[in-house]
Amino acid sequence: MSTKRPELRLKASAPIFAALGDETRLRLVIFLSAAGPSSTATLTANVDVTRQAVAKHLRVMKEAGLVTSVYQGRDSVWQIEASQLAEAQQCIELLTARWDQAIDRLRAMVEED
């Protein structure tokens, strides 16, 4: 786990979660995670939106650091940036731990009475 302060982790993770908050982008992440590097054409064939919409979603994901791309001929090949997904996972683990602590405190207060 990174040595970043939790507040910094949350700030760095916010763009990742914003990008993942869209159903089409989430479908693209799931597809790329399962299939590996894929062209824009392949991604478009696997979601119910236009190539132009896929390109827009991929740009948002690239800005959040979730994907990277390289040109192969006339098309881009996209792949998941695993470190960003790991960052999101660490953020979720931090939130889960904080939630568990809050529930433990509540349980202790209720059991005292």
Side-chain angles (χ1 to χ4, degrees), residues 11-25:
K11 186 174 184 175
S13 297
I16 299 167
F17 287 106
L20 292 174
D22 178 89
E23 181 182 351
T24 300
R25 290 192 288 268

Side-chain angles (χ1 to χ4, degrees), residues 40-51:
T40 306
T42 300
L43 293 170
T44 300
N46 285 281
V47 292
D48 293 330
V49 295
T50 65
R51 182 180 176 99

Side-chain angles (χ1 to χ4, degrees), residues 44-90:
T44 300
N46 285 281
V47 292
D48 293 330
V49 295
T50 65
R51 182 180 176 99
Q52 185 177 11
V54 168
K56 183 178 177 181
H57 285 297
L58 289 167
R59 279 193 301 275
V60 170
M61 293 165 58
K62 187 173 186 175
E63 289 173 9
L66 284 170
V67 294
T68 57
S69 68
V70 294
Y71 281 104
Q72 276 189 349
R74 294 174 36 168
D75 205 355
S76 294
V77 173
W78 297 86
Q79 67 181 25
I80 292 292
E81 183 59 49
S83 65
Q84 288 299 85
L85 288 179
E87 181 70 26
Q89 180 181 2
Q90 289 176 354

